[in-house]
Amino acid sequence: MDKKSLTERDICSKYIAPAIQQSGWDMHKQVREEVSFTKGRIIVRGKLHSRGEARRADFILYHQANLPIAVIEAKDNKHSVGSGMQQALGYAETLDVPFVFSSNGDGFLFHDRSGTGSQVETELSLDQFPSPDELWQRYCQWKGLNDQVQHKIEAPYYDDGSGRMPRYYQMNAINRTVEAVARGQNRALLVMATGTGKTYTAFQIIWRLWKSKQKKRILFLADRNILVDQTKNNDFKPFGRAMTKIARRQIDTSYEIYLSLYQAVTGTEEEMNIYKQFSRDFFDLIVIDECHRGSAAEDSAWREILDYFSSATHVGLTATPKETKEVSSITYFGEPVYTYTLKQGIEDGFLAPYKVVRIDFDKDLQGWRPPKGMLDKNGELIEDRIYNLKDMDRTLVIEARTQLVALKVTEFLKATDPFQKTIIFCDDINHAERMRQSLVNLNPERIAENRKYVMRITGDDQEGKAELDNFINPEERYPVIATTSKLMTTGVDAQTCKLIVLDQHIKSMTEFKQIIGRGTRINEDFGKYWFTIMDFKKATELFADPAFDGDPVVIYTPEGGVPPVPPDDLMEDDGISSGNNAEADDLEFTGDDDGKKRIKYVIDSIPIYVIAERVQYYGPDGHLITESLHDYTRTCVQKQFASLDDFLRRWSDAEQKKAIIDEMAAQGVMWEALAEEVEKKQGKPLDPFDLVCHVAFDQPALSRKERAEQVKKRNYFAKYSGAARQVLEALLDKYADTGVEHIEDIKILQLDPFIQIGAPLELVKAFGGKAGYNQAIHELEDELYAS
């Protein structure tokens, strides 16, 4: 057998897998092949989306289920034994494993990241592959785990029998926390972006420590009732009768797993602090969800609980660790044992990317000064000074401004999807109510269908709060739009929320990340792959803050009169935070700089206008593109193709042009935005081929229609007849209308006008079968790009 003729898969099955098995690895329990551990970044292209390539390891080796210790990257035998090493090292860093192998079937190159061997890299023959015991002992040496600790970290994961496995980053977080606890670490901090499954991660940590009897009684603390109920009914359900929720300020010490709203066990009066009915050493483990919201502050109610149960191990969970002069998560918990950021979640394809639409109003930016002696709507004398963005909806209410925000939101929904779940963050309860009224008046037909199309969901409104479950339930259509202030900033798992509107003054990075997190969940069943942020108060300037770790795919600022849609080219105690209630957060008055309270002036007689601004884009590296889109694209293309000939060769050789288009999009080419800019100057719609040739290599551009006409003039169809010729003529027309990507998809034969020519199967048969049909498409593309 000529080994060099074998495929990479053949090398895996004929040489690598037998070598692993021969060295003692259980191929069913300890070895997984072709493991895709990311989903592939979602690439947004106008109203369409695609996924980038998922990261996939050829082999991952496990000490036991969910405890990976080695990764193997295979190459075919035309490559050297170590040619896959750099790729494998990248996988190993991501998967948090110390042992890395590369192989071409002749042997292995072994890289030891643990530092426990005599040298970093060693060449091994096929029969020298290390045994499971050898790698496990070296793993334990690397982690500093003695025999007693080794036994503790082997505590099993919960398995529901469905085959569900934690995502790789959840596995890393769970394993690192269990290892830290096993080594005797009393405080641990996990930082995981909103939407990445912190509660499921916490459940597996608790399950492993509880089942192995390392921790017998456990308290899970959260700050919102909805968080506690969601946790109890969903992720924590397997605890069954061993679990209880502390309610009505009553204590029963017969349970092992306790879930509590921290407000349910604390109070201002000493006798209200019912947690003191437990002995100080009652709990072995306390897990604090959303720990940035108070547990890290010296004077917070949460700290009272943690100080009382100081002998327990404390594990904090947050998407946004708070580091200020007054509050420090790290000072209390120590450096995070594991961090998984929003940016990484988007890159891996587990979190939804987003577009930003920025809309600025004239009075916000230019300011407004009242005429002398002017009274507001309520007869109040308006203080004579200049009012600007920082005053809007705090000190000064301009009714026309609220109506214009509502109008822009309505325009966006009508132009995209009127039933996409939308959260509008307002400055306070009064503002949220005014916004609700404006939206109701702008959407009478929707309100007539169902009065709950728009609902105010704030801490003071029982009916609105009662609709929160319906809002976050993907199966429920109503409410569609929720106006709120503080209530929905955290703990609201709105999987299908596609639009987040910021009409709130946000200066806290913690609050900004929490609000953005309401939209980052993906729900493929309901078509939720990305979301849009509409910003009316310049909150998205926080993207430029170094503390922000995720970036939008596009920032778009529509000019006046332009629709706000980015062009295709382009609880009982709910709402309580750190001891304050929702009403205290949703102030009807706002403090001035000198600490005095100021009455809101309400103005109903001045107009508001949108100010024209420029379009801004963010590149794939997360940085704002400061050069022109033309120059940026030229740079992107020339990084991938050394010359025009290089590009033409790759384009011609490609089985499908869509593959090159998607690859270039993944590398930073913004097709829709580029097309819009170039087509405005050229006055005609261009194919991606012509966009690249024109922008990157200064070639004259032909429109799709011009390319199609040239093919017709060359009488290319003469060698075809009947249905085959009709199909090709229709495909050429489709190309002129919509581009090359659509004609490459065989499903196009299920649409008009093809379905009128014949059934898809009959049309393919007209070309002698699928191979003949595909050959005809390739020839058609060759003709299209011949010039």
Side-chain angles (χ1 to χ4, degrees):
M1 181 188 299
D2 179 10
K3 193 184 283 189
K4 297 221 181 299
S5 69
L6 298 177
T7 65
E8 183 180 296
R9 262 293 94 200
D10 291 334
I11 294 294
C12 288
S13 60
K14 294 179 183 297
Y15 296 96
I16 299 176
I20 298 169
Q21 188 171 16
Q22 185 180 342
S23 64
W25 293 84
D26 186 320
M27 300 303 287
H28 297 292
K29 295 181 179 178
Q30 292 184 295
V31 180
R32 292 181 65 206
E33 293 190 51
E34 296 191 280
V35 184
S36 293
F37 55 90
T38 69
K39 295 271 284 184
R41 182 188 177 108
I42 293 173
I43 301 162
V44 182
R45 299 174 56 207
K47 296 183 180 69
L48 306 175
H49 77 278
S50 60
R51 279 199 183 265
E53 193 173 345
R55 301 181 75 191
R56 191 193 70 182
D58 290 316
F59 292 87
I60 299 178
L61 308 185
Y62 298 80
H63 171 65
Q64 63 184 45
N66 299 309
L67 213 169
I69 60 174
V71 62
I72 304 173
E73 180 59 30
K75 295 295 178 186
D76 63 41
N77 199 249
K78 298 185 187 76
H79 292 81
S80 67
V81 69
S83 63
M85 181 53 71
Q86 292 191 151
Q87 184 179 349
L89 284 169
Y91 293 168
E93 287 176 1
T94 300
L95 296 170
D96 209 16
V97 300
F99 308 119
V100 193
F101 298 86
S102 171
S103 179
N104 65 351
D106 290 339
F108 295 95
L109 181 65
F110 173 34
H111 184 109
D112 185 356
R113 297 177 64 230
S114 73
T116 59
S118 57
Q119 59 189 61
V120 177
E121 287 195 352
T122 312
E123 285 206 26
L124 306 173
S125 64
L126 289 174
D127 59 4
Q128 288 179 313
F129 194 85
S131 69
D133 287 342
E134 180 184 345
L135 288 190
W136 175 241
Q137 290 309 314
R138 292 173 75 160
Y139 179 91
C140 292
Q141 189 180 342
W142 174 51
K143 289 283 189 176
L145 309 173
N146 59 33
D147 290 344
Q148 184 180 3
V149 175
Q150 285 181 37
H151 176 69
K152 290 180 178 179
I153 70 167
E154 289 177 313
Y157 278 66
Y158 171 76
D159 183 356
D160 63 2
S162 68
R164 175 187 181 184
M165 291 185 67
R167 292 170 176 171
Y168 83 84
Y169 62 85
Q170 295 170 336
M171 205 180 298
N172 291 348
I174 295 161
N175 291 340
R176 286 220 193 161
T177 306
V178 170
E179 287 168 5
V181 173
R183 283 195 298 263
Q185 188 171 319
N186 288 323
R187 292 175 180 172
L189 178 64
L190 275 179
V191 179
M192 295 172 65
T194 300
T196 56
K198 288 194 298 296
T199 310
Y200 172 72
T201 301
F203 161 72
Q204 287 286 9
I205 291 168
I206 295 171
W207 179 271
R208 293 181 68 192
L209 295 174
W210 178 62
K211 275 294 185 181
S212 61
K213 302 191 185 313
Q214 296 177 60
K215 304 295 179 184
K216 296 179 181 178
R217 288 191 290 257
I218 296 144
L219 174 62
F220 180 87
L221 279 173
D223 74 328
R224 300 240 172 148
N225 201 45
I226 189 171
L227 284 175
V228 176
D229 290 338
Q230 284 177 354
T231 300
K232 183 173 183 288
N233 297 329
N234 298 321
D235 287 320
F236 278 37
K237 193 173 183 180
F239 287 123
R241 294 181 179 179
M243 172 178 60
T244 187
K245 173 187 173 183
I246 298 176
R248 292 185 287 277
R249 315 193 73 82
Q250 294 177 358
I251 296 298
D252 182 342
T253 59
S254 63
Y255 293 91
E256 295 175 70
I257 312 292
Y258 293 80
L259 280 67
S260 178
L261 201 65
Y262 83 84
Q263 298 93 333
V265 292
T266 61
T268 53
E269 300 295 331
E270 186 63 24
E271 61 270 18
M272 297 289 282
N273 288 326
I274 64 167
Y275 65 86
K276 293 185 178 178
Q277 295 177 36
F278 293 107
S279 63
R280 285 182 175 272
D281 61 356
F282 184 83
F283 292 110
D284 305 306
L285 172 66
I286 300 178
V287 178
I288 308 99
D289 195 23
E290 304 290 358
C291 67
H292 66 277
R293 291 179 67 84
S295 62
E298 290 287 351
D299 58 351
S300 75
W302 294 36
R303 279 294 289 272
E304 290 179 26
I305 301 172
L306 299 188
D307 289 344
Y308 183 79
F309 298 115
S310 59
S311 64
T313 299
H314 300 162
V315 176
L317 305 174
T318 183
T320 51
K322 187 173 283 188
E323 298 301 317
T324 68
K325 291 179 180 178
E326 296 78 26
V327 178
S328 172
S329 302
I330 289 174
T331 298
Y332 184 81
F333 290 101
E335 290 291 334
V337 295
Y338 188 72
T339 297
Y340 189 70
T341 65
L342 171 65
K343 187 172 186 177
Q344 190 61 54
I346 293 174
E347 189 62 37
D348 287 342
F350 294 123
L351 295 179
Y354 49 95
K355 300 179 179 182
V356 174
V357 178
R358 284 181 176 166
I359 299 178
D360 295 325
F361 297 147
D362 57 342
K363 303 299 188 294
D364 293 355
L365 302 191
Q366 297 169 357
W368 174 77
R369 183 177 180 180
K372 187 175 181 180
M374 181 178 179
L375 303 180
D376 80 344
K377 183 179 179 180
N378 300 317
E380 293 282 348
L381 178 64
I382 303 173
E383 181 184 353
D384 184 12
R385 66 177 179 87
I386 295 175
Y387 297 82
N388 54 31
L389 182 60
K390 66 179 174 54
D391 297 295
M392 297 301 167
D393 300 301
R394 287 180 163 181
T395 309
L396 184 71
V397 172
I398 300 178
E399 292 185 344
R401 188 188 182 285
T402 306
Q403 291 160 9
L404 188 52
V405 170
L407 176 63
K408 288 297 174 184
V409 172
T410 300
E411 287 177 355
F412 183 90
L413 292 174
K414 286 182 176 177
T416 52
D417 173 10
F419 289 96
Q420 59 188 299
K421 298 282 185 171
T422 300
I423 305 175
I424 305 179
F425 288 94
C426 303
D427 269 306
D428 53 37
I429 288 172
N430 174 277
H431 185 193
E433 174 57 23
R434 287 187 285 107
M435 189 64 69
R436 185 198 68 80
Q437 292 175 22
S438 294
L439 287 161
V440 165
N441 289 329
L442 284 165
N443 294 275
E445 70 287 356
R446 302 294 174 205
I447 300 299
E449 291 169 8
N450 192 306
R451 68 175 181 84
K452 294 180 180 179
Y453 180 77
V454 184
M455 293 291 291
R456 171 168 63 90
I457 302 179
T458 51
D460 70 321
D461 187 275
Q462 291 305 317
E463 186 177 4
K465 281 166 61 174
E467 290 297 326
L468 184 54
D469 283 348
N470 289 330
F471 180 81
I472 65 178
N473 184 351
E475 301 283 352
E476 294 289 341
R477 170 169 270 197
Y478 300 101
V480 174
I481 306 173
T483 68
T484 189
S485 52
K486 300 294 184 186
L487 182 60
M488 299 176 72
T489 55
T490 63
V492 177
D493 187 8
Q495 296 179 22
T496 54
C497 177
K498 291 185 178 180
L499 178 62
I500 289 176
V501 180
L502 305 179
D503 198 24
Q504 182 182 108
H505 293 82
I506 305 169
K507 296 302 178 187
S508 157
M509 180 58 69
T510 297
E511 186 173 21
F512 181 60
K513 284 184 178 180
Q514 290 288 347
I515 287 174
I516 298 304
R518 297 315 100 211
T520 54
R521 287 166 175 81
I522 293 169
N523 190 313
E524 297 188 10
D525 292 339
F526 288 85
K528 162 70 183 302
Y529 293 93
W530 77 90
F531 67 105
T532 304
I533 300 169
M534 293 185 76
D535 180 18
F536 293 92
K537 287 202 171 136
K538 300 178 82 69
T540 52
E541 288 184 349
L542 286 167
F543 286 139
D545 192 303
F548 192 73
D549 61 19
D551 301 285
V553 293
V554 61
I555 291 185
Y556 169 63
T557 310
E559 299 181 355
V562 174
V565 182
D568 281 349
D569 3 310
L570 204 114
M571 88 194 167
E572 62 246 55
D573 293 313
D574 265 358
I576 297 181
S577 167
S578 301
N580 298 322
N581 60 26
E583 290 80 358
D585 281 335
D586 294 339
L587 293 176
E588 288 299 321
F589 299 88
T590 52
D592 201 5
D593 293 337
D594 59 4
K596 296 178 182 177
K597 296 296 181 184
R598 183 180 298 279
I599 297 174
K600 283 182 182 174
Y601 301 115
V602 181
I603 309 294
D604 61 353
S605 57
I606 61 172
I608 294 282
Y609 301 100
V610 174
I611 292 180
E613 288 287 338
R614 65 191 179 93
V615 179
Q616 293 178 294
Y617 301 97
Y618 274 79
D621 58 358
H623 296 302
L624 187 68
I625 297 169
T626 53
E627 59 193 321
S628 73
L629 194 57
H630 187 286
D631 291 342
Y632 171 77
T633 304
R634 181 192 291 261
T635 303
C636 280
V637 172
Q638 291 180 354
K639 280 181 182 176
Q640 298 174 71
F641 306 103
S643 63
L644 175 60
D645 286 343
D646 187 23
F647 170 70
L648 294 176
R649 186 164 49 252
R650 285 280 307 280
W651 185 266
S652 177
D653 291 346
E655 279 291 316
Q656 283 202 321
K657 313 309 179 196
K658 182 180 184 299
I660 292 186
I661 295 168
D662 288 345
E663 179 186 330
M664 294 174 73
Q667 295 300 317
V669 175
M670 299 175 183
W671 290 114
E672 288 74 20
L674 182 67
E676 182 186 33
E677 184 174 290
V678 175
E679 288 171 6
K680 276 183 181 177
K681 295 177 182 176
Q682 294 287 319
K684 54 189 178 183
L686 301 180
D687 188 278
F689 175 86
D690 282 284
L691 284 171
V692 170
C693 291
H694 178 66
V695 171
F697 302 110
D698 299 317
Q699 298 298 305
L702 293 176
S703 70
R704 293 193 301 266
K705 187 174 181 180
E706 287 168 336
R707 288 196 173 277
E709 288 298 328
Q710 286 187 355
V711 173
K712 290 178 181 177
K713 287 177 184 176
R714 289 197 291 271
N715 199 25
Y716 160 70
F717 300 120
K719 61 179 181 178
Y720 293 97
S721 61
R725 178 163 183 160
Q726 287 180 272
V727 167
L728 287 172
E729 288 173 342
L731 283 170
L732 194 60
D733 290 338
K734 279 289 184 184
Y735 165 81
D737 288 339
T738 62
V740 70
E741 294 167 85
H742 295 90
I743 70 169
E744 290 184 329
D745 189 346
I746 199 169
K747 291 179 182 176
I748 199 172
L749 298 180
Q750 300 172 12
L751 306 175
D752 281 334
F754 304 97
I755 202 70
Q756 296 175 16
I757 302 171
L761 194 59
E762 294 173 1
L763 299 184
V764 171
K765 283 182 178 178
F767 293 88
K770 190 172 182 180
Y773 175 79
N774 287 335
Q775 180 62 33
I777 298 298
H778 288 311
E779 290 177 2
L780 175 58
E781 289 179 342
D782 289 343
E783 289 293 320
L784 281 168
Y785 300 114
S787 57

